[in-house]
Amino acid sequence: MPRVLALGVLGVVVVLLAHGDQEAGGSTSTEIRRLAGSLVGRLTARLDDLQAQLTEQSSVLEELKRESRGRPHVAFSASISTPPQENLGPFANETKLVFNKVLTNIGDAYSPDTGVFTAPVKGVYYFRYTGYSRAMKPSGLSIFHANRRVMSTYKYSNGASYDNGHSSNGVTLLLAVGDTVHMQLWVDSWVFVDSRYNYCSFTGFLLFPM
């Protein structure tokens, strides 16, 4: 393609020179021809270089497309829809939270029946949660990797009637295939559930496989 373009430019130059020859009575400047040939040579070399760069970039793009098609896609977000518009808790024992209202579940790695995320591939994942509690209701939440507590928040109640509050936290985890992640509500803690606004949520996604 670059050479075809260069030859096209050369053809234009030849036509212009021929027109000049006719006007000059057949006398053609050797210097003009030399400069024209030099110009076409430089233009051809430059176009060849651009063609090589384009070919290389196309190859890189195709490789990225192949990698993207082969990479697993894992992402979920869920909230709690039951009981509606009520406080959930408190419980005598620390209790696993089941986020049963699925907003997104690409890869189906999160179970809305158990509240557990199970890693389908080894990789680095990011998880985040939000919680909401009404006035005079303390709220403690934790992310668990299997049976290990890895990240928590606690909203203390000072007894004030206006003491509503949100809490949130997140963590990046290296998971093996089959590793599980879930949320737990602390002993003597509450979260307020309202399916209209999804105050309490649990989100996770694969950053990259390992």
Side-chain angles (χ1 to χ4, degrees), residues 52-65:
Q53 292 180 30
L54 181 60
T55 300
E56 181 180 0
Q57 291 172 2
S58 296
S59 177
V60 171
L61 180 60
E62 287 302 317
E63 180 63 26
L64 290 174
K65 287 181 178 178

Side-chain angles (χ1 to χ4, degrees), residues 38-57:
S38 175
L39 174 62
V40 171
R42 291 198 300 271
L43 181 59
T44 300
R46 177 57 178 159
L47 290 175
D48 284 345
D49 182 57
L50 291 174
Q51 181 65 51
Q53 292 180 30
L54 181 60
T55 300
E56 181 180 0
Q57 291 172 2

Side-chain angles (χ1 to χ4, degrees), residues 190-203:
W190 287 259
V191 287
F192 179 70
V193 176
D194 189 334
S195 60
R196 298 172 300 172
Y197 303 110
N198 302 318
Y199 291 129
C200 299
S201 64
F202 184 30
T203 293

